[in-house]
Amino acid sequence: MTDCGCSPPSLETDAQKRALWIALGVNAVMCFIETTTGVLFSSTGLIADGLDMLSDAAVYALALIAIGRSPRFKANAAMVSGVALLVLGFGLFVEVVRRSFDGGAPEGAGMIAVATVALIANIIVLRLLSRQRNDEVHLRAAWIFTRADVVANAAVILSGLAVLATGSRYFDLIVGAAIGLYVMREAFEIISNARRAQRAG
């Protein structure tokens, strides 16, 4: 027996893979929908949420690769996820600054409709991953990402309502910046968990 950290397939491993594959598929589809409609509706919030979905899809892919690997590999996978999320959060701030100088008011009704679909999808994924989140660091990272998505979706919906009520684009910009801040906070949590796992390993 080697120390690769490998183990025979189990029902638990199958459940992890099934949950992650579903999460990966949902996030890939919603990334395309949100970024596309975000551009069409001139919504920074939707674009930010769509890019967050892309980052999540990458995290789920890393978590799938990490299943059955050594604890060290899983900790490293979580670290990569956290760093990627941190870069994404910074990128969202850059986009908010750019749009604050160039752009009009977004389409509030469209924002609400798309964000509501995304919220429902992420709640489903969060429930699937909630059964796995305490297992290992790379799976907890995936759960944290999805939790951030649910918060971001709700924020975009509120932003859409504010835009409809006032016609101002600043609510959308504020939500985009807030999503960036929240994403970075989640990134630091993932990185902290990964560091503890690396030291333990």
Side-chain angles (χ1 to χ4, degrees):
M1 183 70 178
T2 66
D3 61 352
C4 70
C6 303
S7 59
S10 65
L11 292 176
E12 182 180 7
T13 299
D14 289 342
Q16 291 175 355
K17 288 182 178 179
R18 183 165 54 251
L20 288 169
W21 273 116
I22 293 172
L24 176 59
V26 168
N27 275 265
V29 171
M30 290 310 303
C31 167
F32 175 78
I33 292 174
E34 286 200 289
T35 52
T36 301
T37 55
V39 171
L40 291 175
F41 298 148
S42 299
S43 171
T44 303
L46 281 178
I47 293 173
D49 210 20
L51 292 176
D52 189 30
M53 290 282 197
L54 175 62
S55 180
D56 290 354
V59 170
Y60 300 140
L62 280 172
L64 279 166
I65 294 171
I67 289 177
R69 301 293 189 95
S70 68
R72 180 75 178 181
F73 184 96
K74 293 171 181 176
N76 289 339
M79 179 63 73
V80 170
S81 300
V83 171
L85 193 59
L86 189 60
V87 172
L88 175 64
F90 180 77
L92 294 181
F93 270 109
V94 173
E95 177 64 10
V96 168
V97 172
R98 187 189 72 80
R99 282 185 174 266
S100 67
F101 293 102
D102 178 27
E107 175 56 52
M111 289 172 61
I112 294 169
V114 176
T116 299
V117 173
L119 177 63
I120 293 170
N122 275 315
I123 288 174
I124 293 171
V125 171
L126 189 67
R127 286 177 61 85
L128 285 172
L129 294 177
S130 65
R131 302 167 188 169
Q132 318 293 340
R133 72 178 189 273
N134 293 322
D135 290 349
E136 296 172 281
V137 64
H138 65 302
L139 292 170
R140 178 163 177 76
W143 182 82
I144 290 173
F145 265 65
T146 308
R147 183 182 66 184
D149 283 347
V150 170
V151 174
N153 297 151
V156 174
I157 292 172
L158 292 176
S159 173
L161 290 170
V163 169
L164 277 177
T166 65
S168 172
R169 66 193 174 103
Y170 290 105
F171 292 101
D172 180 57
L173 294 174
I174 290 170
V175 165
I179 291 174
L181 274 175
Y182 188 76
V183 161
M184 287 193 284
R185 190 188 75 82
E186 298 288 81
F188 283 119
E189 182 177 348
I190 292 171
I191 291 170
S192 177
N193 289 338
R195 283 177 175 167
R196 284 197 295 270
Q198 286 175 335
R199 287 195 293 268

